[in-house]
Amino acid sequence: MPLTFGVLAAVAASSSAGNDVTPGVLGFLVVAVMGIALVFLLRSMNKQFRKIEPKDETAVPRAAGFEGAKPGQNETATPQAPQ
């Protein structure tokens, strides 16, 4: 037992100078793969957005039986003051 503690103490003392932790090649590869996947996902998303047809904003949905403004009337006209 005492020999084991002595060996562990020697290893701990010698490795204290080498505690520089770096991500290394594996960390770089993980980040690089995630970046490449992000580029492909963004390209795919843009392709899907281009497939969407824009909604026709000039068409006004009307409820059944609605007797409001007729097509062609200017809805932005200012109302006249009562006389």
Side-chain angles (χ1 to χ4, degrees):
M1 273 303 191
L3 181 63
T4 306
F5 289 123
V7 171
L8 289 176
V11 169
S14 66
S15 65
S16 64
N19 279 341
D20 297 332
V21 179
T22 60
V25 176
L26 181 63
F28 171 75
L29 290 176
V30 168
V31 172
V33 167
M34 288 175 62
I36 292 169
L38 178 65
V39 168
F40 282 111
L41 285 171
L42 288 173
R43 289 179 60 195
S44 174
M45 182 185 66
N46 284 332
K47 188 189 304 183
Q48 296 301 322
F49 279 152
R50 281 190 221 112
K51 289 181 183 179
I52 298 174
E53 294 181 10
K55 189 176 185 181
D56 186 16
E57 294 183 16
T58 59
V60 178
R62 296 177 184 262
F66 180 70
E67 299 295 331
K70 295 183 178 127
Q73 286 184 337
N74 188 1
E75 295 178 359
T76 59
T78 56
Q80 295 179 355
Q83 297 176 351

